[in-house]
């Protein structure tokens, strides 16, 4: 197996364990001591460098409103120290967000994330774009009374 | 030079000639006879397959409101038949958009695009995410009267 292939498998496992299943402590095996959010418009942690405790806190807080969230990986592209992941995402809006109380309705999103690896194959950060306008439009629509 | 390196250079040239400089006819050298927009939330051509004339029409119409637009490529990642480009973008809002008359003010955006190549090194389509919420927020802010 090549390094590229191994990294893709490792990244897919990180997404499943930490972000899909919500096992924040599984980050111990995947995330470096310093994790840099280089670019992530709309993310409350955009621009920050997180230690492992901070990373786990971000996982728990991000997932609170969407406890059954699932990433559907569309593509994985390995080059140099990075793997790019394109993805679809779906979740039940099960917890409150500022201005958007929980509705129990499904929300969908898509995005692309560049993950960086260090020499020990741990994640050192990401550069991400998500279609957050699409999410807001769905949250607003879900909040509107049924006609 | 490797195939990956050549593709990255070719893609950067396509972006500069066609999208930055607005030479839609330069697409002849870069784009296949059928170009598929596989995923591009908010793009009026999302989901469509374009022939070369249709592709050039999309270039001209997309650029009309932003005639001096420039892409600032952040990263290029080659794997298999694809090259992923992460990018920043800036333009003067110089032409009218629906609901947003031209203001002459700068608009910025970021995004990630997966470009697919055929065996003749021509582009056969893309999968793209842009931070369109960020754009709308700037268009609204630019439209507001100066305080």
């Amino acid at each position: 197996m090549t390094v590229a292939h191994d990294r893709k498998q490792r990244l897919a496992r990180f997404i499943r364990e930490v972000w899909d299943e919500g096992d924040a402590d599984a980050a111990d095996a995947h995330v470096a001591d310093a994790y840099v959010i280089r670019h992530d418009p709309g993310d409350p942690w955009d621009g920050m460098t997180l230690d492992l405790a901070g990373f786990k806190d971000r996982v728990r807080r991000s997932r609170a409103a969407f406890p059954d969230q699932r990433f559907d990986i569309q593509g994985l592209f390995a080059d140099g120290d990075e793997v790019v992941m394109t993805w679809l995402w779906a979740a039940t809006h099960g917890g409150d967000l500022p201005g958007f109380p929980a509705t129990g309705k499904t929300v969908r999103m898509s995005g692309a994330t560049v993950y960086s690896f260090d020499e020990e194959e741990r994640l050192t950060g990401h550069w991400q774009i998500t279609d957050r306008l699409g999410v807001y439009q769905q949250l607003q629509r879900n909040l509107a009374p049924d006609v």
Side-chain angles (χ1 to χ4, degrees), chain A:
Chain A
M1 293 298 111
T2 63
V3 171
H5 179 272
D6 282 352
R7 279 193 178 151
K8 291 178 187 178
Q9 289 211 320
R10 177 179 281 268
L11 181 58
R13 189 151 54 88
F14 163 74
I15 295 297
R16 187 179 65 245
E17 292 175 0
V18 174
W19 288 108
D20 287 357
E21 298 170 0
D23 180 6
D25 287 328
D28 290 336
H30 295 286
V31 175
D33 297 334
Y35 185 95
V36 184
I37 300 175
R38 303 202 305 277
H39 183 79
D40 197 343
D43 189 280
W45 293 267
D46 185 20
M48 294 187 192
T49 299
L50 307 178
D51 60 13
L52 254 172
F55 186 89
K56 294 178 186 180
D57 181 59
R58 176 169 172 268
V59 170
R60 294 191 181 103
R61 290 211 234 170
S62 300
R63 292 186 80 270
F66 303 106
D68 67 353
Q69 67 173 25
R70 285 291 181 277
F71 283 89
D72 176 6
I73 298 174
Q74 298 293 290
L76 292 167
F77 308 91
D79 191 354
D81 296 328
E82 267 115 8
V83 175
V84 185
M85 177 175 106
T86 54
W87 47 268
L88 309 179
W89 174 95
T92 304
H93 181 197
D96 294 343
L97 291 168
F100 296 102
T103 59
K105 294 184 181 173
T106 300
V107 177
R108 297 179 192 284
M109 178 167 58
S110 51
T113 313
V114 182
Y115 285 101
S116 304
F117 288 79
D118 66 12
E119 293 179 354
E120 295 165 28
E121 300 300 330
R122 296 178 309 174
L123 296 166
T124 62
H126 76 249
W127 193 105
Q128 178 166 264
I129 301 289
T130 66
D131 181 28
R132 51 191 181 126
L133 178 62
V135 173
Y136 282 122
Q137 289 173 334
Q138 292 168 74
L139 291 174
Q140 287 177 324
R141 202 160 47 228
N142 289 348
L143 203 58
D146 291 325
V147 181

